[in-house]
Each structure stands twice: as structure tokens, then as C-alpha cells.
């Protein structure tokens, strides 16, 4: 109870600082989400249309996904330096895997009868992809994006260890000066941001899954 009081007291006293960190965190996460979302979607489409590429691409994504985030940040520092750039690259690498996997699964598990009907109507390969496959797989792809968003927002909390901004700054500062309330205050805002984004994307996912149901 005392910790909660200290957290709310910190918010009241230093909200301008927390607001600045929150906006920085959102900007950092959005940059990574945009890049990992686009790259993951493109790779997922590529391996669904070219099945022989699926094993190596999925294997590489799995390997990268197993590297601890703090280790990946450390590996990138000699090449990209410290700051937001390194954090965005690391977060993008982590965010690619859920997008690739869900895009691939969504596009390769569609009802074959519907696809055959579309081919019978004279649809080209591009038309099949853009007008039939992607709309039908939208719910599954959004589930991958949902995972990417929540994971990126959460992992961005350690970006401060390489000199990047965001709410991780509050967490890191709280640890270094042994201030549990400051550490918890930064963590609570990250968790709340991830929760709200998950709720919004969950509703969108359910909407598209209903639309994609035959």
C-alpha cells in the first residue's frame, strides 16, 4: 500500500517527466512496430507463395527470436552505436517473428474450395493474394501484429541500457538509485500501455476474423 502511495506521489510530482518518457516510449515502439510489421508481412507473403523458402526463413526468425534482448542490444552496439537507432533495430528483429509466422499460417490455411473458386473466375496470382487471401487471413495476421505490438512495448523498457529513451529510463534510474517506487512507476505505465494496445488490437482482430469466416 505504501509503495502505491509513493508511485502516485511520483506521478503527481513529476508527471511532466513521465509524460515525456511515455511519448518517447510510444515513438520508439511505433518505429519498430512499423518496420517489423512491414518486413514480417512481406516475408510471410513471400514464403507462403514460395514454399521452399519457408524452412530457412522460419528457422532464421526462430534463432533470432531466442537471442536474449539485452544480448542482442550488446551485439549491435559495435555496429550501430548507442541510442534509439540500436534499440529500434533490436526491437524490429524481435517483432518480425510473430508477423512472419502468423502471415504464413494465415495464408497457407485458407479454405481451398474458396481459392479454387477464385481461380475458376479467372483471378490472377496478384488478384488472388490482394483480394482473396489477405482479406481472409487478416484476422490471423492481426493476431501476429498484436503479439508484435505487446512484445515491442514491453521489451522497449530495456532500451535505456543502450542510451535510448522511453519509460525504461525511469526503470533504470529507479534501479541505480534504489528507488523501488520510480522503478514500479515506469513499469506500470509500460504495462498499461501494452494492455490498452492489446485490448484495441484484440477487438480489431475479432472483427476481421468474423469477416473472414465463410
Amino acid at each position: 500500500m505504501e509503495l502505491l502511495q509513493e508511485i502516485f506521489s511520483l506521478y503527481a510530482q513529476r508527471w511532466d517527466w513521465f509524460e515525456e518518457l511515455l511519448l518517447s516510449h510510444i515513438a520508439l515502439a511505433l518505429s519498430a512496430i512499423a518496420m517489423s510489421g512491414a518486413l514480417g508481412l512481406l516475408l510471410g507473403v513471400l514464403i507462403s507463395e514460395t514454399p521452399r523458402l519457408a524452412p530457412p526463413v522460419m528457422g532464421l526468425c526462430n534463432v533470432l527470436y531466442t537471442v536474449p534482448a539485452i544480448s542482442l542490444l550488446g551485439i549491435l552496439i559495435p555496429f550501430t552505436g548507442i541510442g534509439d537507432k540500436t534499440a529500434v533495430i533490436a526491437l524490429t528483429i524481435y517483432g518480425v517473428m510473430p508477423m512472419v509466422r502468423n502471415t504464413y499460417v494465415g495464408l497457407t490455411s485458407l479454405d481451398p474450395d474458396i481459392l479454387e473458386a477464385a481461380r475458376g473466375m479467372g483471378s490472377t496470382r496478384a488478384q488472388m493474394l490482394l483480394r482473396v487471401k489477405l482479406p481472409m487471413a487478416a484476422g490471423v495476421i492481426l493476431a501476429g501484429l498484436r503479439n508484435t505490438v505487446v512484445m515491442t512495448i514491453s521489451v522497449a523498457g530495456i532500451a535505456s541500457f543502450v542510451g535510448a529513451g522511453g519509460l525504461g529510463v525511469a526503470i533504470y534510474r529507479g534501479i541505480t538509485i534504489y528507488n523501488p517506487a520510480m522503478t514500479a512507476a515506469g513499469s506500470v505505465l509500460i504495462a498499461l500501455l501494452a494492455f490498452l494496445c492489446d485490448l484495441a488490437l484484440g477487438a480489431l482482430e475479432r472483427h476481421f476474423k468474423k469477416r473472414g469466416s465463410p
Side-chain angles (χ1 to χ4, degrees):
M1 193 68 180
E2 184 180 341
L3 179 61
L4 279 176
Q5 290 176 344
E6 290 180 16
I7 291 171
F8 285 117
S9 177
L10 264 177
Y11 288 151
Q13 294 170 11
R14 306 192 61 181
W15 178 246
D16 288 346
W17 183 62
F18 279 106
E19 184 180 26
E20 182 181 340
L21 294 182
L22 177 61
L23 293 175
S24 174
H25 197 95
I26 292 172
L28 189 69
L30 278 179
S31 299
I33 290 165
M35 288 194 284
S36 59
L39 183 59
L41 181 64
L42 289 174
L43 284 173
V45 169
L46 176 65
I47 62 177
S48 70
E49 295 293 308
T50 316
R52 61 187 173 82
L53 295 177
V57 171
M58 292 293 286
L60 178 61
C61 288
N62 281 322
V63 169
L64 291 173
Y65 200 59
T66 59
V67 178
I70 194 69
S71 298
L72 184 57
L73 288 167
I75 291 168
L76 289 172
I77 287 175
F79 304 99
T80 57
I82 61 173
D84 289 357
K85 180 180 177 181
T86 297
V88 169
I89 292 172
L91 292 172
T92 298
I93 291 172
Y94 266 96
V96 162
M97 178 56 192
M99 280 300 297
V100 173
R101 181 181 60 233
N102 279 55
T103 301
Y104 176 71
V105 170
L107 292 174
T108 55
S109 59
L110 300 174
D111 188 337
D113 291 335
I114 295 177
L115 299 181
E116 191 58 39
R119 289 192 193 96
M121 294 174 65
S123 298
T124 65
R125 191 173 181 178
Q127 289 172 333
M128 284 277 294
L129 177 65
L130 296 174
R131 298 181 182 178
V132 180
K133 291 183 177 181
L134 284 174
M136 288 179 63
V140 179
I141 294 171
L142 273 171
L145 179 62
R146 183 179 175 184
N147 290 335
T148 292
V149 168
V150 173
M151 182 277 302
T152 301
I153 291 171
S154 301
V155 177
I158 66 168
S160 60
F161 286 88
V162 293
L167 289 163
V169 172
I171 296 173
Y172 182 70
R173 186 171 299 180
I175 292 171
T176 55
I177 64 174
Y178 194 65
N179 186 335
M182 183 173 288
T183 300
S187 301
V188 166
L189 288 177
I190 291 175
L192 183 60
L193 179 61
F195 176 71
L196 292 175
C197 289
D198 185 57
L199 277 182
L201 287 171
L204 195 61
E205 177 192 339
R206 289 190 293 273
H207 171 71
F208 275 97
K209 278 185 175 179
K210 286 179 182 178
R211 285 186 55 186
S213 301

